[in-house]
């Protein structure tokens, strides 16, 4: 339960939560701060519970189903379909206002032998290295993400 455990990865941003949230809604942005090649939303806006998205890293695709959505604050999804030998996977992203900016918090896990632990480790490592890149991306073009 993400509410009871500290985030697995978090990063403080010198931007309002709305700008970080807007970056999470930008499919192309995901390919600019994580090792992903394509992140198309497969549902129409407005997004919410039931939204779907496909994430590609090279030829590997994961179809995601969003089971939690709090506009501007939280998006959480499970892996619906993937060619990876996983029995389950889920990620939970939360954007929290802080003094002087905001914080992006992440929880995630993949399960299934033998790849679950490896995918979980790669997700965590990717996000830990990616969040500073996300900060640099937002700083490089604040207007793209709703800034001045």
């Amino acid at each position: 339960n993400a509410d009871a455990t500290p985030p697995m990865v978090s990063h403080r941003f010198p931007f309002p939560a709305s700008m970080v949230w807007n970056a999470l809604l930008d499919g192309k942005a995901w390919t600019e701060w994580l090792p992903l090649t394509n992140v198309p939303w497969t549902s129409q806006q407005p997004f919410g519970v039931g939204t779907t998205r496909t994430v590609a890293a090279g030829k590997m695709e994961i179809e995601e189903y969003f089971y939690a959505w709090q506009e501007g604050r939280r998006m959480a999804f499970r892996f619906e379909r993937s060619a990876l030998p996983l029995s389950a996977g889920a990620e939970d992203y939360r954007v929290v206002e802080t003094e002087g900016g905001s914080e992006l918090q992440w929880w995630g896990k993949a399960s299934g032998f033998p790849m679950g632990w490896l995918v979980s480790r790669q997700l965590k490592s990717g996000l830990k290295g990616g969040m500073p890149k996300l900060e640099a991306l937002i700083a490089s073009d604040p207007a793209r993400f709703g800034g001045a």
Side-chain angles (χ1 to χ4, degrees), residues 13 16 24 47 56 85 87 92 127 129 135 137 145:
F13 292 82
L24 295 180
F47 301 138
S87 58
D92 191 339
L127 284 156
E135 180 178 340
L137 176 65
F145 304 106

Side-chain angles (χ1 to χ4, degrees), residues 35-53:
L36 302 172
T37 53
N38 197 20
V39 183
W41 293 92
T42 50
S43 294
Q44 297 296 314
Q45 290 186 334
F47 301 138
V49 171
T51 289
T52 57
R53 179 174 79 173

Side-chain angles (χ1 to χ4, degrees), residues 23 25-33 36 38-41 137 144:
L25 296 180
D26 183 327
K28 184 178 182 321
W30 288 82
T31 68
E32 297 172 64
W33 64 279
L36 302 172
N38 197 20
V39 183
W41 293 92
L137 176 65
R144 175 180 173 189

Side-chain angles (χ1 to χ4, degrees), residues 9-111:
V9 177
S10 65
H11 183 82
R12 289 189 73 127
F13 292 82
F15 314 115
S18 61
M19 289 178 73
V20 176
W21 182 257
N22 287 340
L24 295 180
L25 296 180
D26 183 327
K28 184 178 182 321
W30 288 82
T31 68
E32 297 172 64
W33 64 279
L34 289 174
L36 302 172
T37 53
N38 197 20
V39 183
W41 293 92
T42 50
S43 294
Q44 297 296 314
Q45 290 186 334
F47 301 138
V49 171
T51 289
T52 57
R53 179 174 79 173
T54 301
V55 173
K59 295 180 191 268
M60 186 62 59
E61 289 189 349
I62 297 175
E63 294 177 29
E64 301 169 340
Y65 173 86
F66 288 79
Y67 63 85
W69 193 281
Q70 294 172 291
E71 186 61 34
R73 295 190 337 222
R74 180 183 184 209
M75 59 172 66
F77 56 84
R78 68 176 178 256
F79 302 171
E80 279 288 283
R81 278 182 273 306
S82 169
L84 292 169
L86 300 172
S87 58
E91 296 184 57
D92 191 339
Y93 293 81
R94 298 183 189 200
V95 183
V96 179
E97 291 281 357
T98 62
E99 190 173 325
S102 59
E103 182 178 44
L104 177 57
Q105 303 173 337
W106 177 83
W107 294 261
K109 182 172 174 79
S111 57

